[in-house]
Amino acid sequence: MSEVPDPVEADRALKAKHRAMWAQGDYPAVAAEIIPDLGPILVEACGLRGGGGTGAPGAEGRGARVLDVAAGSGNAAIPAALAGASVVASDLTPELFEAGRRLAAERGVEVEWRQADAEALPFEDDEFDTVLSCVGVMFAPHHQAAADELVRVCRPGGTIGLLSWTPEGFLGQMLATMKPYMPPPPPGAQPPPLWGDEAHVRTLLGDRVTDVEARKQTVLVDRFKSPEEFRDYFKARYGPTIAAYRAVADDPDRTAALDRDLAELARRHDKGSGSTAMEWEYLLFTARTA
């Protein structure tokens, strides 16, 4: 008779795999070079304004207690600190914190960095005024568990702010393109881009939030000269892409197919002339805890 797997051990192994995936490559470079505007957009949508690039705090953000969940190197945490908030940046992958500390020091702000699983946050109930996540919590495998934690640590009347790639947008399609090349996800793990579906997020949060505002927007990515340059950049720096290539490393034909599929994806989305310019769609979602 087969042995029933221990769910605690299985979850621990899954989280270790996720941590290793995001530690490889150079996600801080991706955040800083490809999507630097997204963190400030989310911070402003949460009502934390001011500070700009000067390091001077803004009045609206001053004194607010803010948690950035799955913060990476602080793409949203640092702008929140610039707005005058007291910020904790939490992430499953502490290897990303060194770059975040350096960036925060360069901007002249302090951020507290804490290793934390988005599905089991090490914080008290109602501890934060604002809980936000910029293309971060969406990668936690168990969506309801992560959503429950967002609500739990946010005080009544506080703000929850999320910025997530949509399923039909470029990043959602990129993840879908890589999926056939990777091992199947474990039972219960859900696709990250579902967080970019408004109905899904509303279901996760339920009647525990009010004053929901949700809108789809795009960010222009135009730094690549060709689809192949885009592919090679992500192949070297972005954890999920690196993981996909490692999964087929022993199969030259599948590696070549993945090369073609990623370049073709960028080519289909290219709106530029003379360079590869793409509009990447995301869902900007804010709400207040009831």
Side-chain angles (χ1 to χ4, degrees):
M1 193 167 75
S2 61
E3 188 174 327
V4 178
D6 180 348
V8 174
E9 285 301 319
D11 188 66
R12 186 176 291 121
L14 175 61
K15 300 300 171 55
K17 185 177 179 181
H18 274 232
R19 173 180 171 176
M21 180 181 72
W22 289 106
Q24 62 194 354
D26 190 354
Y27 184 74
V30 175
E33 297 169 4
I34 308 301
I35 52 170
D37 296 337
L38 296 191
I41 287 170
L42 176 59
V43 166
E44 183 162 355
C46 291
L48 303 167
R49 301 181 184 86
T54 64
E60 295 89 341
R62 189 184 300 278
R65 180 85 167 144
V66 174
L67 175 64
D68 184 1
V69 178
S73 51
N75 199 28
I78 293 171
L82 284 165
S86 172
V87 183
V88 177
S90 69
D91 200 282
L92 185 67
T93 307
E95 290 86 349
L96 303 174
F97 292 167
E98 181 180 352
R101 291 188 181 98
R102 185 171 62 251
L103 290 168
E106 290 172 359
R107 302 297 296 276
V109 293
E110 291 187 8
V111 173
E112 180 184 347
W113 303 88
R114 292 278 301 275
Q115 182 178 8
D117 180 352
E119 298 175 9
L121 294 170
F123 306 109
E124 298 295 324
D125 295 357
D126 308 334
E127 187 170 340
F128 297 93
D129 301 301
T130 298
V131 178
L132 51 80
S133 187
C134 182
V135 295
V137 74
M138 64 180 289
F139 289 97
H142 307 110
H143 294 187
Q144 192 63 63
D148 291 348
E149 285 294 88
L150 297 177
V151 174
R152 181 184 67 79
V153 300
C154 189
R155 67 166 174 82
T159 299
I160 293 176
L162 305 167
L163 192 154
S164 309
W165 301 119
T166 64
E168 62 275 13
F170 180 84
L171 231 296
Q173 290 301 299
M174 178 177 164
L175 294 172
T177 297
M178 296 189 297
K179 184 177 179 180
Y181 297 92
M182 303 179 77
Q190 294 174 281
L194 281 178
W195 282 88
D197 181 284
E198 180 185 343
H200 181 69
V201 182
R202 283 179 176 270
T203 298
L204 292 175
L205 299 175
D207 60 6
R208 298 174 296 176
V209 298
T210 62
D211 302 324
V212 170
E213 294 187 16
R215 60 183 183 272
K216 292 179 180 179
Q217 300 182 173
T218 61
V219 58
L220 177 66
V221 177
D222 62 354
R223 62 165 283 134
F224 301 109
K225 295 178 182 178
S226 69
E228 290 74 20
E229 183 180 335
F230 152 78
R231 175 200 65 209
D232 292 344
Y233 180 95
F234 274 75
K235 188 176 179 178
R237 294 170 180 82
Y238 189 58
T241 310
I242 295 170
Y245 275 97
R246 287 186 175 176
V248 297
D250 294 333
D251 189 332
D253 291 339
R254 296 198 77 204
T255 298
L258 181 54
D259 274 343
R260 289 193 300 270
D261 286 351
L262 288 177
E264 179 56 32
L265 176 71
R267 192 169 284 110
R268 289 199 307 270
H269 284 78
D270 183 11
K271 299 180 181 299
S273 60
S275 66
T276 298
M278 301 170 281
E279 298 278 358
W280 292 9
E281 186 182 69
Y282 59 87
L283 176 72
L284 185 61
F285 183 103
T286 60
R288 292 200 176 277
T289 47

